[in-house]
Each structure stands twice: as C-alpha cells, then as structure tokens.
C-alpha cells in the first residue's frame, strides 16, 4: 500500500507516517516471534539438546 501511496502522489508526510507504522508493526511482530520461539522451542530442553538449542538461540539473536 505504501508503493501505491507514492504512485498516487500522496504527501511525503502521509507516506512517512505509513512507513513508520509499517516498520513499528514489523518490529513488534519480530519481537513476538523471537519471544515465542524462546518460550516454545528452547524452554525445557534436556541436557542432550542444550548445545544445539544454544547454537540456535545465538543464531536467532542476530535478528534482535
């Protein structure tokens, strides 16, 4: 929808507000996804899976 706004010649302020809203929504979704992953995929792993789970946690933190 942002591309359409630009194509339609909407004001820079309107486009910037929409871009900020989209960026905020994406950041919120990313945070929720990572927290959910930690809660459901990494929580409660036994000692045999701890090393691989820590490796995965380190990898996913790159996206924080």
């Amino acid at each position: 929808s942002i591309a359409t706004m630009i194509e339609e010649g909407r004001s820079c302020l309107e486009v910037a507000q929409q871009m900020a809203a989209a960026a905020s929504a994406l950041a919120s979704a990313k945070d929720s996804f990572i927290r959910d992953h930690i809660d459901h995929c990494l929580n409660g792993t036994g000692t045999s899976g701890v090393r691989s789970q820590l490796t995965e946690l380190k990898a996913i933190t790159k996206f924080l």
Side-chain angles (χ1 to χ4, degrees):
S1 67
I2 294 171
T4 302
M5 290 176 72
I6 294 168
E7 290 170 357
E8 292 174 348
R10 302 277 291 270
S11 76
C12 290
L13 178 59
E14 289 177 309
V15 173
Q17 288 172 331
Q18 190 64 32
M19 291 174 81
S24 178
L26 185 58
S28 178
K30 177 189 72 169
D31 291 346
S32 294
F33 174 78
I34 291 172
R35 287 183 192 350
D36 184 70
H37 177 74
I38 290 169
D39 288 343
H40 294 99
C41 297
L42 302 180
N43 195 11
T45 58
T47 55
S48 63
V50 171
R51 181 163 295 181
S52 66
Q53 296 299 333
L54 286 174
T55 300
E56 185 174 342
L57 179 60
K58 288 178 186 176
I60 202 167
T61 58
K62 294 176 188 177
F63 302 104
L64 295 175

